[in-house]
Amino acid sequence: MSTAPHSALPAQGRATAEVLAELKGFGADDPHYKEGRLWSLVYYLDEEYSQFLGDAYQEFSSANGLNPTAFKSLKRFENEIIAGVAEMFHGTPEVCGVVTSGGTESCLLAVKTYRDLARSRGVTQPEMVLPVTAHVAWFKASEYFGVKVRLLPLDKNLRADVKKLPRLCNRNTVMILGSAPEYPHGTIDPIEEFSAIALKRKIPLHVDACVGGFILPFMEMNRRKLPLWDYRVPGVTSISADIHKYGFASKGASTITYRNLDYLKHQMFVYQDWPGGVFVSPALLGTRPGGAYAAAWAAMQHFGKSGYRDLAKRTMQAFDKMRKGIEKMPALYVMGEPTGPLLGYGSRDPDVNIFAVGDQMDAKGWKINRLQNPDGLHAMITASHLEVMDDYLRDLKEAVATVKANPALAQSGSAATYGMMSHIPLRGMVKQKVLDMFAQMYRAGGQDMDLHAAHAPEPGLKGQMNALVDRLAQWYVTRQQQRQSQR
Ligand SMILES: Cc1ncc(COP(=O)(O)O)c(C=O)c1O
């Protein structure tokens, strides 16, 4: 992290032009997303479109959606966004919902809603069924709202094993989750089969379409064959869908919709005795950013169905190209049954450590996320990636060849750390270790979390414990690698 040449809070204010010039410089070390080098986090088209979103945002950047009766403009954006989403998902006119700040907020809200609905029916020890591949936001919600997770395992094709679902449900089950698609492998969970079980047991079924919500409907309009996952499936009671992902809105915009108001009203919060006045809030945040609503509305108006269909078409061209390119490399395989727009891939060659391949790709300037259980690399593909796909596949081929020629690369760089983190059996230890490293980033003054660097041991008992954990982890990973190469 670069150090500040200025005082963090200057004694005297600075000229706006000077501040802006310096602020722009902060981006120098950021991933090169404008050149298609980043495979998650950002949905970028071009400067003209970014300017348009920025203008829309700026118009309402001071407006506050805290009280939906104050800014009529924001409620209107919200109404139109929700109506558009309900139509995209084949909802009846009863479908209703709220614009939120992002996928995580939408997922947290669903858990709060269904916990409170179940509470109103006397459930005091709430549980929910999540496929192993559910996004981490659901595990966060479990911790935040005290709803116990029952994990639905995957079958050998990395699909949620629906046969095991009935026995995970009981009187305390407040909701079942399915994803369209799930983040790690891009597979759409078997929502129709989930729905049959959910209806029989009278359990709400939420579909996490945070990734897929703004692309699957348009892939279907483009005649891609997809399983049903939206309100056409009778057991689906709610859907989360992010506009700031494949809807190409500015950051800070997602939606949660419900089949009808009987569900949504359990999301609302009212406190009638506050000296500040009777307080009512539809979502998690207090102040809600008007700019994000305006930009989300503007994005939907700008693209419309035709624009989103075009984006979906180019995205899927890129997806197909990547999938075929990876399948042609004998050392690699594509995980599960991805429908797009994202996928994961791993190594089937014991001499090719996939995390070392990731390191080689990083060195060539790509920014790629890592997967575990099984180990892999990840790609969230957008329309802009079509232009760089040939370069990506060429570099990937070279990276695989380099690692195959130098298997020891698996024990160096971030490959060693990722290998350790994903394989060491004492998961609580990994959690503690990551927490310690992550917390360092939030120490006063802030530091980077560098997975390539060897950290100097801390003094005292804790330092010794950490060093021991590191040594144990190294030993475990080396032993696994030796076993693998003996096979
Ligand atoms: C399936 C799924 N759900 C929820 C989320 C959380 O979204 P956000 O990062 O906007 O909070 C993500 C993010 O990638 C996701 O892939």
Side-chain angles (χ1 to χ4, degrees):
M1 200 175 282
S2 16
T3 46
H6 55 263
S7 163
L9 182 63
Q12 296 296 326
R14 301 163 67 195
T16 51
E18 184 192 323
V19 172
L20 283 177
E22 188 180 337
L23 169 151
K24 284 184 186 152
F26 276 41
D29 296 336
D30 286 348
H32 296 172
Y33 62 87
K34 293 183 185 174
E35 288 93 54
R37 294 259 142 189
L38 185 62
W39 295 85
S40 65
L41 301 172
V42 171
Y43 302 78
Y44 174 79
L45 285 177
D46 56 36
E47 286 305 278
E48 193 185 338
Y49 179 68
S50 299
Q51 183 64 48
F52 161 73
L53 273 188
D55 288 349
Y57 196 106
Q58 200 275 329
E59 277 298 319
F60 287 85
S61 64
S62 301
N64 189 341
L66 182 144
N67 171 356
T69 63
F71 281 88
K72 304 260 181 292
S73 53
L74 300 192
K75 191 69 194 88
R76 184 167 167 201
F77 290 140
E78 185 167 43
N79 288 348
E80 294 194 11
I81 290 169
I82 295 298
V85 167
E87 185 192 333
M88 276 160 53
F89 299 165
H90 302 94
T92 66
E94 302 258 279
V95 167
C96 50
V98 172
V99 174
T100 70
S101 61
T104 299
E105 188 186 350
S106 298
C107 301
L108 292 179
L109 283 169
V111 175
K112 180 238 167 310
T113 298
Y114 292 127
R115 183 202 61 179
D116 289 357
L117 170 65
R119 208 179 250 173
S120 74
R121 295 172 179 167
V123 173
T124 53
Q125 303 204 305
E127 298 181 0
M128 60 180 163
V129 183
L130 305 182
V132 166
T133 43
H135 190 265
V136 283
W138 297 94
F139 296 88
K140 196 181 211 181
S142 153
E143 284 198 18
Y144 282 15
F145 296 120
V147 177
K148 183 174 163 185
V149 171
R150 290 212 174 254
L151 271 184
L152 179 61
L154 308 182
D155 66 16
K156 61 181 185 339
N157 295 325
L158 300 177
R159 260 184 126 219
D161 193 349
V162 70
K163 287 193 304 301
K164 305 209 167 106
L165 179 56
R167 76 179 83 132
L168 294 173
C169 300
N170 59 43
R171 269 181 297 141
N172 292 327
T173 311
V174 304
M175 62 166 277
I176 296 169
L177 172 79
S179 301
E182 40 87 325
Y183 172 90
H185 319 116
T187 302
I188 298 181
D189 285 332
I191 303 296
E192 286 179 283
E193 288 157 272
F194 281 17
S195 161
I197 295 162
L199 284 174
K200 195 162 158 211
R201 308 235 171 183
K202 297 194 172 50
I203 299 172
L205 170 60
H206 180 91
V207 175
D208 180 352
C210 284
V211 167
F214 274 77
I215 188 164
L216 296 178
F218 307 104
M219 283 162 55
E220 196 182 330
M221 285 180 201
N222 290 344
R223 302 193 192 293
R224 278 257 161 181
K225 192 119 192 59
L226 296 176
L228 290 185
W229 58 272
D230 62 14
Y231 287 116
R232 285 170 290 183
V233 182
V236 172
T237 49
S238 53
I239 300 176
S240 45
D242 292 357
I243 328 174
H244 67 195
K245 292 194 171 73
Y246 287 90
F248 285 84
S250 295
K251 292 282 180 282
S254 169
T255 58
I256 176 151
T257 56
Y258 293 89
R259 191 172 277 280
N260 60 51
L261 196 57
D262 291 341
Y263 296 106
L264 175 58
K265 68 181 186 212
H266 291 280
Q267 183 176 297
M268 310 279 168
F269 171 82
V270 181
Y271 185 57
Q272 66 285 2
D273 298 329
W274 187 41
V278 173
F279 187 93
V280 53
S281 164
L284 219 60
L285 302 189
T287 286
R288 297 199 296 156
Y293 287 45
W297 179 88
M300 288 172 70
Q301 292 300 313
H302 171 67
F303 288 112
K305 290 183 190 123
S306 62
Y308 283 131
R309 279 183 71 170
D310 181 55
L311 283 173
K313 186 169 145 215
R314 288 193 280 136
T315 305
M316 292 314 288
Q317 280 169 357
F319 172 84
D320 290 341
K321 199 164 182 178
M322 181 181 249
R323 185 176 185 165
K324 283 191 194 119
I326 291 170
E327 280 166 349
K328 268 201 222 140
M329 297 184 207
L332 303 183
Y333 73 98
V334 171
M335 292 174 174
E337 300 161 353
T339 40
L342 45 93
L343 58 76
Y345 59 94
S347 165
R348 60 165 113 247
D349 181 338
D351 288 339
V352 176
N353 178 290
I354 198 68
F355 293 142
V357 173
D359 283 352
Q360 293 300 307
M361 292 296 276
D362 286 350
K364 290 172 190 286
W366 303 101
K367 271 280 198 189
I368 301 174
N369 283 353
R370 281 27 174 207
L371 300 174
Q372 59 178 351
N373 305 329
D375 293 348
L377 301 179
H378 190 255
M380 209 147 184
I381 299 155
T382 66
S384 313
H385 287 125
L386 191 52
E387 282 155 43
V388 297
M389 197 53 83
D390 288 333
D391 294 348
Y392 181 94
L393 290 170
R394 186 204 56 226
D395 285 353
L396 183 59
K397 204 167 161 192
E398 277 176 23
V400 169
T402 306
V403 174
K404 189 151 172 79
N406 306 281
L409 287 171
Q411 276 112 19
S412 61
S414 75
T417 313
Y418 281 117
M420 183 271 277
M421 288 196 299
S422 61
H423 291 290
I424 195 149
L426 306 170
R427 305 311 294 163
M429 211 161 76
V430 173
K431 182 171 178 171
Q432 191 52 49
K433 183 94 188 127
V434 172
L435 191 64
D436 284 349
M437 283 162 74
F438 194 66
Q440 292 307 316
M441 289 183 77
Y442 285 87
R443 187 188 280 283
Q447 293 172 9
D448 256 348
M449 183 156 124
D450 185 358
L451 295 179
H452 294 261
H455 292 276
E458 292 166 60
L461 184 63
K462 189 157 172 236
Q464 285 171 19
M465 284 291 294
N466 270 336
L468 193 67
V469 168
D470 281 345
R471 279 218 299 280
L472 199 64
Q474 296 289 340
W475 167 80
Y476 183 77
V477 172
T478 314
R479 198 187 62 150
Q480 291 290 95
Q481 280 159 353
Q482 281 164 351
R483 279 191 175 170
Q484 226 176 31
S485 57
Q486 279 159 12
R487 257 182 240 147

